[in-house]
Amino acid sequence: MTNRLRTPAPDEARPWRAAAEKALYGPEGFYRRPEGPAGHFRTSVHASPLFAAAVARLLCRVDEGAGRPGELAFVDMGAGRGELVAGVLEALPADVAGRTRAYAVEVADRPPGLDHRIEWVAEPPGGVTGLLFANEWLDNVPVDVVEVDAAGVPRLVLVREDGGEALGEPVGGAEAEWLDRWWPLAPEQRLRAEVGLPRDRAWAAAVAGVERGLAVAVDYAHLAGSRPPFGTLTGFREGRETAPVPDGSCDITAHVALDACALPGARLLTQREALRALGVTGGRPPLSLATTDPAAYVRALAGAGEAAELTAPGGLGDFGWLLQPVGIPDPLA
């Protein structure tokens, strides 16, 4: 929950979208800090190299679906410090890696020692054939927060840099239309929603850069009919969930209405379903292996534990995967 310390004066507060934009991506923003996101929270990329290996297999399927082009793109949206794109390159077969042009899309500076094959860019490239992969990117596209007032009217929530909030103007225009379609609020005081329109637009713009191939968004998600009544805005600092304070000291995130982002031809599934289709099952190795090759058994057992974490119900396995094929068949169909 956010802090209600006192009612901010109008010149002290701003809508959550603007406040989060500055706090995350401004000159002193959270995503420009030297420790990077991994210093504060753990994603599937950090949980196990099995995740990057599965994405590499997905890229190989996209390669086949696109007819093995002379240049195959892998675009890592919100690349952090390049952990995923580096892991994908390492896991690719040599013949595919030799044709792959890898992009890390990130606002922070390029980290030292990153694989020289990775192009570090601030915006996604256009006209590519291949796979665009956005792992926990959309949840950090800032959105406005709205709250229903005592009269049953949804209003913008304004926030100070210390996290104190006040209600602003009633929601109108395209934002109100988005709420009516994707997250309608009952006229009950204090009900909240996050207006996902900026994420819909950001995703459409990213997909537009794929001329042929597949775009995938992986994120905390909720769907129509099961939206959380009080929203999902929260913060993360040093591995712990915390109040979302827009001062640059913590991550500010909210779950994604992935069904609203979906373009025609898209498909939604869970991470558990997607990773199992890519060979990540979490099955334990046979006990007989412990006798014939103990070291291999220990490695396989560790891999099974990591796979189980990536696909666990109630955890990473419940993440949403939004698949958007562009000119090729769905590689996970």
Side-chain angles (χ1 to χ4, degrees):
M1 294 293 292
T2 49
N3 301 321
R4 295 179 178 274
L5 303 178
R6 65 176 178 82
T7 301
D11 60 347
E12 293 181 293
R14 65 178 78 185
W16 262 108
R17 181 184 176 191
E21 184 73 37
K22 178 177 181 291
L24 295 177
Y25 305 114
E28 305 298 322
F30 175 82
Y31 277 99
R32 298 186 187 274
R33 293 172 59 153
E35 71 271 21
H40 297 270
F41 54 85
R42 188 165 175 261
T43 72
S44 297
V45 178
H46 309 117
S48 171
L50 294 175
F51 188 79
V55 176
R57 288 193 290 275
L58 179 58
L59 179 58
C60 290
R61 293 191 186 186
V62 171
D63 182 43
E64 291 294 332
R68 297 178 57 83
E71 180 177 286
L72 179 69
F74 178 69
V75 182
D76 183 6
M77 294 293 300
R81 294 302 177 265
E83 299 96 335
L84 176 61
V85 63
V88 168
L89 282 177
E90 184 178 347
L92 285 173
D95 63 314
V96 179
R99 292 183 287 109
T100 297
R101 187 171 182 180
Y103 301 89
V105 184
E106 182 56 68
V107 298
D109 293 336
R110 182 188 182 97
L114 189 67
D115 191 319
H116 70 277
R117 295 174 293 174
I118 299 170
E119 299 182 39
W120 198 262
V121 294
E123 299 289 339
V128 301
T129 295
L131 173 61
L132 180 142
F133 201 87
N135 185 60
E136 295 193 44
W137 169 61
L138 284 174
D139 69 294
N140 288 126
V141 174
V143 292
D144 281 320
V145 178
V146 303
E147 182 176 311
V148 179
D149 68 11
V153 177
R155 292 179 177 270
L156 280 176
V157 178
L158 309 180
V159 62
R160 291 197 318 264
E161 193 169 288
D162 66 3
E165 292 183 336
L167 295 185
E169 295 296 316
V171 182
E175 289 75 16
E177 293 175 5
W178 189 94
L179 281 175
D180 287 343
R181 179 178 180 185
W182 293 109
W183 199 334
L185 290 169
E188 182 180 333
Q189 189 175 10
R190 294 194 179 277
L191 291 183
R192 283 195 169 206
E194 292 108 23
V195 184
L197 186 59
R199 293 170 173 175
D200 299 356
R201 291 170 173 167
W203 180 241
V207 173
V210 180
E211 187 172 288
R212 197 156 181 257
L214 178 70
V216 179
V218 180
D219 236 309
Y220 298 96
H222 47 67
L223 304 177
S226 60
R227 308 286 190 212
F230 302 105
T232 61
L233 188 73
T234 191
F236 285 92
R237 182 189 295 114
E238 297 175 357
R240 296 177 180 271
E241 189 169 6
T242 185
V245 179
D247 61 0
S249 69
C250 66
D251 184 29
I252 297 172
T253 178
H255 294 196
V256 182
L258 276 181
D259 49 349
C261 296
L263 299 168
R267 186 161 67 101
L268 288 164
L269 62 165
T270 66
Q271 175 155 299
R272 180 167 51 258
E273 293 167 329
L275 290 184
R276 284 178 176 172
L278 292 166
V280 180
T281 64
R284 293 172 63 90
L287 282 173
S288 58
L289 185 62
T291 303
T292 59
D293 192 340
Y297 178 77
V298 170
R299 290 195 299 271
L301 194 62
E306 293 174 2
E309 181 183 3
L310 289 172
T311 59
L316 294 174
D318 288 345
F319 269 48
W321 279 48
L322 170 59
L323 272 64
Q324 190 77 53
V326 182
I328 67 168
D330 183 343
L332 293 186

